[in-house]
Amino acid sequence: MSADTAPDAARDPDADWDTVTGWGRTAPTGALVVRPRTYEEAAVAVRDCGVRGGIARGLGRAYGDAAQNAGGAVLDMTALDRVHAVDVAGGTVLCDAGVSLHRLMEVLLPLGWFVPVTPGTRYVTVGGAIGADIHGKNHHVSGSFSRHVLSLELLTADGRVRTVAPGTPLFDATAGGMGLTGVILTATLRLQPVGTALMSVDTERAADLDDLMARLTATDHRYRYSVAWIDLLARGRATGRAVLTRGDHAPLEALDALPARSRARREPLAFRTSRLPAPPDFLPGGLLSRTTVGLFNELWYRKAPRESRGRLQRISTFFHPLDGVPHWNRVYGRGGFVQYQFVVGHGREEALRSIVRRISERRCPSFLAVLKRFGEADPGWLSFPVPGWTLALDIPAGLPGLGAFLDELDEEVADAGGRVYLAKDSRLRPDLLAAMYPRLDDFRALRAELDPRGVFVSDLARRLAL
Ligand SMILES: Cc1cc2nc3c(=O)[nH]c(=O)nc-3n(C[C@H](O)[C@H](O)[C@H](O)COP(=O)(O)OP(=O)(O)OC[C@H]3O[C@@H](n4cnc5c(N)ncnc54)[C@H](O)[C@@H]3O)c2cc1C
């Protein structure tokens, strides 16, 4: 890197050249990581980021290369993490974009409010949630995160801070825009009221993929939250067997079933989590082989009740079981892993069946595979969810022939009118993108006008020519 192309590290004592990677730990690249503590410092970092540009980063939970920027600047926004105001009567919160959903839960649950949408980890920031327009188990009822954003403040390439409201082109480009319209500084969110910090959960098993789809189609509308863990190593008649977990926030009366002196009855709105030790960082080939994952999947399926109703669970157990194991991504070893998530619309079930069959036949050792039905889409131009079926799975990156195999799946997804999720992606071919995201040209045009010098850029943006 020559001195005149490098971002200006000298002015910021908190800036350091570092290796940056996504949660899947594939494709690490070096960048100048700047950690602004004020909005003014964020503006200076954007102004000084040099010809390789800059990109905002939250907690780095995007699996691929969305929040990294080889040779340029990465703005780590997690020091801007204040909760400014909670309207307890009206159910809204104004906070910095660097605040995590974990922190929001700590603040909001005791007040009887919950975040409107949570992904499978609460260690994401509000900025990352808007940047990827994340979805949760309630997508079929509540849509994606941006549906609950009442307003946001965006630092754009010209150094201005704009207040951006839903229903405007800039909002629709920013919700799901992967940080490429600017740096989100604050957001006002509409919240979900809750009576307790527990969930009332129904569990059931599905014998195969068709049984699973039939159950989801027939009864998902009865549940606010719904997801299915699917065994992608099961073959033959068991292909696509699954465990459905669905539920809603438990009302106060539901706690009557617990002993009178239990902590949950005494403090029904207390937010409780648990944490196990982190796995070591020196697992050479990772722990996950077909045999270990096959065994795990078999046990997981058998251990699930054939049917159970109204079981009370902590919020953290229901939504974020993996958060109990810090750095669980290390179990894949140093080579890391790929998350593959796609959606195909209703009426395209045959494509879903075919892909599930191909993954099962390929014997991909995947133990974190989930299937969900999406509801109505939100207007974000690069927002991922559309009504239909979404499957997400993890695969060790070192699996022989993986790249070619996933390229074939991408084509099948695109042929079926579906798309892959950019927040999980690290390898999609750029030529498939326009078919998957029909508003891509609008997105590019808005960026060209808003940021003519291309200040905001990431490895993902370069790879896919966003
Ligand atoms: C275990 C696990 C489970 C997950 N489950 C789900 C799920 O169920 N549903 C789902 O939708 N996603 C899921 N994800 C993905 C995750 O929710 C998204 O990748 C989210 O964007 C991560 O937020 P982050 O704060 O870590 O952002 P990062 O990963 O740091 O960044 C993600 C994107 O947001 C942008 N961004 C971050 N902060 C800002 C900001 N202040 N201003 C502008 N842009 C910004 C970045 O530039 C980048 O493009 C999961 C991830 C993990 C690790």
Side-chain angles (χ1 to χ4, degrees):
M1 171 103 3
S2 71
D4 54 345
T5 59
D8 195 347
R11 296 185 208 183
D12 184 347
D14 275 351
D16 263 319
W17 284 94
D18 209 345
T19 303
V20 183
T21 176
W23 190 245
R25 309 212 297 171
T26 54
T29 52
L32 182 76
V33 180
V34 190
R35 199 157 185 262
R37 286 152 303 188
T38 62
Y39 306 138
E40 293 73 26
E41 285 183 9
V44 169
V46 168
R47 189 194 66 201
D48 291 348
C49 64
V51 296
R52 292 287 291 177
I55 192 73
R57 181 177 174 92
L59 280 161
R61 264 28 178 213
Y63 283 82
D65 51 3
Q68 53 193 78
N69 178 23
V74 166
L75 277 71
D76 171 346
M77 296 300 290
T78 54
L80 277 166
D81 63 349
R82 287 160 301 179
V83 177
H84 293 284
V86 182
D87 176 350
V88 180
T92 63
V93 62
L94 166 63
C95 62
D96 283 342
V99 78
S100 69
L101 297 195
H102 173 84
R103 178 71 193 134
L104 283 183
M105 287 172 207
E106 285 180 336
V107 171
L108 297 171
L109 268 168
L111 303 174
W113 296 99
F114 189 56
V115 295
V117 168
T118 175
T121 170
R122 57 188 181 275
Y123 295 110
V124 301
T125 62
V126 167
I130 300 170
D133 197 15
I134 60 166
H135 57 271
K137 295 178 181 183
N138 56 348
H139 188 274
H140 61 294
V141 174
S142 307
S144 53
F145 198 86
S146 64
R147 192 179 292 182
H148 311 275
V149 176
L150 299 173
S151 141
L152 60 86
E153 285 181 301
L154 186 71
L155 170 63
T156 46
D158 53 9
R160 277 176 60 193
V161 176
R162 299 166 197 238
T163 302
V164 187
T168 60
L170 186 51
F171 188 92
D172 293 346
T174 301
M178 308 308 292
L180 296 168
T181 57
V183 180
I184 302 164
L185 298 176
T186 67
T188 304
L189 313 175
R190 191 186 303 110
L191 302 169
Q192 167 68 39
V194 295
T196 70
L198 292 183
M199 304 298 296
S200 170
V201 183
D202 291 358
T203 307
E204 62 197 270
R205 287 195 217 164
D208 58 35
L209 184 60
D210 281 338
D211 181 24
L212 171 61
M213 289 196 286
R215 287 170 191 257
L216 289 171
T217 306
T219 49
D220 245 15
H221 62 277
R222 295 190 200 147
Y223 297 94
R224 181 183 301 279
Y225 300 100
S226 161
V227 77
W229 168 85
I230 176 166
D231 179 0
L232 289 174
L233 278 172
R235 284 188 291 182
R237 282 174 42 203
T239 302
R241 71 179 176 178
V243 179
L244 278 81
T245 318
R246 299 187 286 184
D248 204 340
H249 299 280
L252 203 51
E253 315 80 78
L255 273 49
D256 292 347
L258 299 173
R261 297 181 53 200
S262 67
R263 281 179 76 186
R265 293 249 329 240
R266 282 184 282 125
E267 299 169 280
L269 285 167
F271 177 43
R272 295 204 173 85
T273 60
S274 47
R275 238 164 140 73
L276 298 168
D281 198 15
F282 51 81
L283 298 165
L287 285 177
L288 302 176
S289 66
R290 277 184 195 114
T291 316
T292 50
V293 174
L295 212 68
F296 171 88
N297 284 5
E298 182 66 31
L299 285 173
W300 197 255
Y301 183 76
R302 300 269 160 225
K303 150 182 157 325
R306 267 178 213 290
E307 188 167 321
S308 95
R309 302 273 165 216
R311 208 165 134 228
L312 293 174
Q313 265 185 357
R314 285 180 184 176
I315 273 183
S316 54
T317 311
F318 180 75
F319 289 107
H320 315 119
L322 288 167
D323 284 349
V325 186
H327 303 291
W328 60 263
N329 52 344
R330 291 178 186 167
V331 300
Y332 291 88
R334 292 232 161 95
F337 69 109
V338 171
Q339 256 273 328
Y340 188 67
Q341 182 167 5
F342 67 89
V343 57
V344 290
H346 294 302
R348 298 299 192 144
E349 286 74 14
E350 207 33 65
L352 176 66
R353 284 191 195 94
S354 154
I355 293 174
V356 167
R357 220 168 21 239
R358 289 178 69 171
I359 295 170
S360 308
E361 282 162 7
R362 187 91 189 0
R363 315 291 293 139
C364 291
S366 179
F367 76 102
L368 293 175
V370 292
L371 184 78
K372 171 155 185 65
R373 265 177 109 234
F374 277 153
E376 285 309 305
D378 285 283
W381 292 345
L382 298 189
S383 180
F384 168 68
V386 288
W389 302 94
T390 183
L391 178 69
L393 62 142
D394 59 314
I395 316 171
L399 202 70
L402 183 63
F405 178 64
L406 293 180
D407 282 351
E408 285 170 25
L409 297 193
D410 289 342
E411 279 171 20
E412 201 164 340
V413 168
D415 286 348
R419 53 178 62 164
V420 300
Y421 188 13
L422 298 180
K424 307 273 179 97
D425 181 54
S426 51
R427 34 134 320 265
L428 178 69
R429 283 198 339 246
D431 54 294
L432 289 175
L433 197 66
M436 293 181 170
Y437 289 92
R439 302 296 302 270
L440 182 62
D441 282 344
D442 294 324
F443 182 76
R444 285 177 173 148
L446 182 138
R447 269 192 81 208
E449 197 176 321
L450 186 69
D451 180 9
R453 289 185 301 121
V455 169
F456 294 110
V457 65
S458 61
D459 291 352
L460 173 94
R462 280 195 196 93
R463 181 167 57 80
L464 293 176
L466 288 173

